[in-house]
Amino acid sequence: MTTSVASPAAAVTAAVPEPAAAIDTGRVADLITQLLVELGEDPAREGLIGTPGRVAAWWSAFLSSDGTATATCFTESQLSGQLVIVGGMSVWSLCEHHMLPMNLRVTAGYVPDGEVVGLSKFGRIAQHFAGQLQVQERFTRQVAEYLTGVIGEDVAVVVRGVHLCMSMRGVRMEEARTTTVHTGGRFGTDPILSQQFLTVTAGLWGAP
């Protein structure tokens, strides 16, 4: 398990990266065709006809940001000392080291201070940062820092990942899981609050 602790000075604004340049799907399809040839395949054979175009369209859709990582906050002045945990979020991303998929299960927690965040926005934020070539450690930090810019310092994010680059290549350990934790504010200084968050998170994950 990798643990990263954000200091109060690490708070950032809720800025979303600019969308990437448009992908030339025709050029990508040509490259996939060349790849099939180099792998000893015939792109014109039955079963592969149209495959380069489908692969190119998927890459374009996956890597094209839709700009939906926008959090909506609602005023709730009566909240005090409550821990809010949003779990059960599962997103797919691509390992930038091997360009193989990784499934990331995300749990986020925060302590409201006069405002609550719209629950569906947590999932949209996770999807936004997953839709690019990634590493789990950076993804965890990006989600946490974005939420910090919206909510404040009292934010914690835990991500549990299944990486096909470890499950289907190399050591081929199908049961391997990678856990990353990013904590800020009171989650980094209050051991009771941190333990509550991690206990609930473990319960949400259940069996591997």
Side-chain angles (χ1 to χ4, degrees):
M1 180 173 73
T2 301
T3 302
S4 53
V5 180
S7 66
V12 297
T13 57
V16 177
E18 292 295 323
I23 294 173
D24 185 342
T25 54
R27 175 59 175 156
V28 174
D30 288 341
L31 292 171
I32 296 299
T33 300
Q34 294 176 40
L35 176 62
L36 289 171
V37 171
E38 293 301 323
L39 293 176
E41 282 287 357
D42 177 8
R45 74 166 171 82
E46 184 179 4
L48 287 181
I49 296 176
T51 292
R54 286 188 291 269
V55 174
W58 177 82
W59 274 104
S60 179
F62 187 86
L63 296 176
S64 297
S65 172
D66 57 9
T68 56
T70 303
T72 304
C73 296
F74 303 92
T75 301
E76 286 289 344
S77 59
Q78 302 302 313
L79 296 181
S80 177
Q82 187 175 101
L83 171 58
V84 178
I85 298 176
V86 183
M89 296 176 285
S90 177
V91 295
W92 285 94
S93 190
L94 287 169
C95 164
E96 66 182 33
H97 299 147
H98 303 97
M99 297 179 73
L100 287 172
M102 54 183 174
N103 181 248
L104 305 174
R105 299 174 65 185
V106 183
T107 302
Y110 74 103
V111 180
D113 184 14
E115 287 185 328
V116 295
V117 180
L119 297 178
S120 67
K121 302 305 180 183
F122 287 89
R124 292 187 182 276
I125 292 165
Q127 288 177 334
H128 178 85
F129 289 110
Q132 53 193 273
L133 295 178
Q134 271 285 17
V135 295
Q136 181 176 329
E137 296 87 344
R138 183 170 67 239
F139 169 82
T140 305
R141 175 181 57 78
Q142 287 175 329
V143 172
E145 289 184 347
Y146 182 89
L147 291 174
T148 297
V150 173
I151 299 168
E153 298 172 1
D154 299 330
V155 168
V157 174
V158 177
V159 179
R160 193 182 200 200
V162 178
H163 298 248
L164 266 64
C165 58
M166 189 174 185
S167 299
M168 66 178 292
R169 64 165 295 281
V171 294
R172 298 188 180 183
M173 293 184 176
E174 296 182 8
E175 299 302 317
R177 302 292 184 269
T178 300
T179 301
T180 46
V181 182
H182 189 111
T183 57
R186 290 171 56 191
F187 286 97
T189 59
D190 185 338
I192 295 177
L193 181 66
S194 179
Q195 186 59 50
Q196 287 176 333
F197 172 70
L198 294 175
T199 298
V200 173
T201 296
L204 290 172
W205 282 339

